[in-house]
């Protein structure tokens, strides 16, 4: 996992505490590090800025990051960018990858083994947007910070 240079004055867990961006290389432990970064980021904004971040929001944010980063690393070649940013009373989890193919959430099916990631994410977030970019795609999941 490599931190990328901040854009527009933000920096990973410093400078602008309301935003951080990291490049994920897909190496062993990468997804666990992304979850830890998410927890660290939310604890930082809670401690430094006094934002109300519930334990539930902390857990769900880490779950969403885990699912989205796992999918990006599994289905897209090359690196993945993870951006976390505070937007009002919510955290926005943004994942970019190089594959232009948009994911298609499947209908719930308790008999299906695997491929429930987007189903889970969409069930726990307030808003979910997928957009094609000039290169690849960007997924934005918005999750409230309080219960």
């Amino acid at each position: 996992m490599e931190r990328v240079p901040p854009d527009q004055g933000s920096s990973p867990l410093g400078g602008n505490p309301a935003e951080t961006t990291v490049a994920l290389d897909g190496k062993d432990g990468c997804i666990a590090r992304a979850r830890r970064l998410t927890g660290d980021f939310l604890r930082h904004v809670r401690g430094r800025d006094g934002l109300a971040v519930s334990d539930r929001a902390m857990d769900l944010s880490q779950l969403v990051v885990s699912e989205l980063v796992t999918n990006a690393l599994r289905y897209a070649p090359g690196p993945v960018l993870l951006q976390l940013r505070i937007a009002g009373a919510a955290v926005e989890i943004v994942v970019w990858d190089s594959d232009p193919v948009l994911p298609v959430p499947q209908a719930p099916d308790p008999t299906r083994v695997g491929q429930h990631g987007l189903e889970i994410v969409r069930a726990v977030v307030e808003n979910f947007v997928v957009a094609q970019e000039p290169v690849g795609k960007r997924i934005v999941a918005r999750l409230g910070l309080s219960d």
Side-chain angles (χ1 to χ4, degrees):
M1 180 166 64
E2 172 188 330
R3 295 185 194 274
V4 295
D7 50 344
Q8 300 176 352
S10 66
S11 65
L13 298 183
N16 176 1
E19 184 175 325
T20 189
T21 303
V22 294
L24 305 169
D25 58 13
K27 293 182 181 170
D28 289 344
C30 175
I31 296 163
R33 287 191 304 273
R35 282 192 306 264
R36 268 193 312 277
L37 173 75
T38 302
D40 292 346
F41 173 76
L42 291 173
R43 279 186 290 279
H44 183 77
V45 297
R46 179 169 53 189
R48 180 173 172 199
D49 298 339
L51 287 177
V53 180
S54 72
D55 290 341
R56 181 177 186 275
M58 182 83 66
D59 292 344
L60 290 178
S61 294
Q62 291 173 311
L63 172 66
V64 169
V65 163
S66 182
E67 293 295 340
L68 293 180
V69 169
T70 296
N71 284 351
L73 291 171
R74 180 174 292 154
Y75 298 112
V80 170
L81 291 179
L82 168 64
Q83 181 182 45
L84 304 167
R85 60 184 177 223
I86 300 300
V91 60
E92 289 183 344
I93 299 163
V94 183
V95 175
W96 171 89
D97 67 53
S98 61
D99 186 357
V101 176
L102 301 181
V104 178
Q106 298 183 21
D109 179 357
T111 64
R112 184 177 66 241
V113 176
Q115 297 184 335
H116 292 279
L118 287 180
E119 183 182 332
I120 292 167
V121 169
R122 290 178 52 162
V124 301
V125 299
E126 294 175 351
N127 194 18
F128 181 81
V129 176
V130 180
Q132 283 186 316
E133 296 288 322
V135 175
K137 67 181 165 295
R138 182 174 308 270
I139 297 175
V140 181
R142 184 180 174 101
L143 186 75
L145 293 173
S146 60
D147 294 340

